[in-house]
Amino acid sequence: MKLGLKTALSAALAVSLSACAATSGTEALTDAAQNDLRSEQAKSRDQYRHPVETLAFFGFEPSMTVVEIWPGGGWYSDIIAPAMKGEGTFYAAHFPADSDVEYYQRSLTRFQDKLASDGAYSDVKLSEFAPGTHHSIAPEGSADMVLTFRNLHNWYMQKDEQGVKDAFKAFYAALKPGGVLGVVDHRLPESRDAGKAKRSGYVKESWVIELAKQAGFELAAKSEINANPNDFADHPRGVWTLPPRLALGDEDRAKYEAIGESDRMTLKFIKPQ
């Protein structure tokens, strides 16, 4: 009887501690999402990107070692960096410094300027990533979480399926056993021809899951946090037809603004213990 009571109390304590940790992470993210580093324009996109809910779904905690892949201008970094400040380790795996792609160089320079602009970024560690060439996103087996937001389609368009396979291989190597890979990307309806849609920016959820599994990951959970039932993924200039890019300019602008940002998959994978 005493053993049973002890076991029950231990289980209850574990659940309580888990709940406190989840609350701590969510509170840190909520505060960070309101910080002054973020412009009102950036905050206005929260209705489509749901950063707090998305990171909480992945199991984000400020004390973790987290890697964000290709942070671009730092839309997510502006939330993650202050949320982790003084507690965890945050690697921003940006474009390679030796890249001969001018866009990559400009983007990297702007991001470096951002990191130097405010003490909130002083703990950020800058690393590099490019599928197939630059895989040292963090020390091997060190990361609790690797995050990639709307990047898989780029690697697919650049290097076909192998680009995504190379990316997953790098992420797997960086993660600890039990670590989390969080993936968000534009979702192509399963009934569509993936080959014809390759340049659209949309990819099938089933395809992403299969390639992740081939890399050794296990699918832990899916979420519809970033779903948009108004997006049918059949636009003249692919996903870039929609906000925020609005590639057609003023042509049918009201129509695409009414649709909003793309329909997105949100997938949580685990590196097995």
Side-chain angles (χ1 to χ4, degrees):
M1 182 68 70
K2 290 182 178 179
L3 182 60
L5 178 60
K6 183 178 180 180
T7 301
L9 289 173
S10 296
L13 178 60
V15 171
S16 177
L17 290 173
S18 177
C20 288
T23 300
S24 173
T26 302
E27 287 176 351
L29 289 169
T30 301
D31 291 344
Q34 299 304 317
N35 74 71
D36 293 337
L37 296 172
R38 306 186 71 216
S39 67
E40 290 306 311
Q41 181 181 12
K43 292 177 181 178
S44 72
R45 298 177 70 183
D46 290 357
Q47 63 180 310
Y48 303 114
R49 295 188 168 186
H50 311 99
V52 173
E53 297 87 344
T54 298
L55 290 169
F57 169 71
F58 290 144
F60 172 91
E61 291 295 335
S63 60
M64 287 179 164
T65 294
V66 176
V67 185
E68 183 187 0
I69 305 298
W70 279 11
W75 193 92
Y76 257 98
S77 300
D78 288 348
I79 298 171
I80 297 171
M84 300 187 71
K85 176 72 173 175
E87 292 195 55
T89 302
F90 177 33
Y91 289 91
H94 215 288
F95 301 127
D98 62 359
S99 172
D100 57 3
V101 179
E102 290 186 11
Y103 168 76
Y104 288 179
Q105 289 292 333
R106 292 195 303 271
S107 180
L108 176 59
T109 297
R110 287 194 296 268
F111 191 76
Q112 290 171 322
D113 290 343
K114 174 193 283 286
L115 296 187
S117 71
D118 195 286
Y121 304 112
S122 63
D123 292 347
V124 179
K125 298 179 182 295
L126 192 63
S127 60
E128 300 179 330
F129 176 71
T133 58
H134 297 71
H135 286 187
S136 298
I137 59 176
E140 186 171 345
S142 68
D144 297 291
M145 182 173 288
V146 173
L147 302 168
T148 175
F149 302 103
R150 304 171 314 282
N151 288 317
L152 300 186
H153 66 278
N154 290 312
W155 305 326
Y156 177 48
M157 289 191 294
Q158 292 167 3
K159 295 193 172 184
D160 299 311
E161 193 171 275
Q162 189 60 46
V164 180
K165 289 181 176 180
D166 287 342
F168 283 153
K169 180 179 179 180
F171 306 161
Y172 193 90
L175 283 165
K176 300 174 181 177
V180 172
L181 169 62
V183 175
V184 176
D185 218 317
H186 314 295
R187 180 165 50 190
L188 183 70
E190 292 292 331
S191 61
R192 299 276 284 283
D193 186 318
K196 292 181 179 179
K198 182 176 181 180
R199 310 305 300 182
S200 71
Y202 292 90
V203 292
K204 289 187 179 182
E205 184 176 290
S206 61
W207 177 78
V208 174
I209 293 171
E210 177 58 29
L211 291 186
K213 287 182 176 179
Q214 288 180 19
F217 289 103
E218 296 176 352
L219 178 65
K222 301 180 185 182
S223 175
E224 292 300 303
I225 296 170
N226 297 301
N228 181 356
N230 296 319
D231 176 23
F232 297 103
D234 56 354
H235 315 299
R237 296 194 183 175
V239 70
W240 302 280
T241 310
L242 299 177
R245 185 74 64 85
L246 292 168
L248 294 179
D250 290 333
E251 182 182 343
D252 292 327
R253 186 184 185 94
K255 170 186 173 181
Y256 295 117
E257 286 182 332
I259 292 173
E261 294 194 19
S262 67
D263 177 54
R264 293 165 186 163
M265 67 186 85
T266 304
L267 306 174
K268 179 179 179 178
F269 296 97
I270 301 290
K271 178 178 178 176
Q273 292 283 353

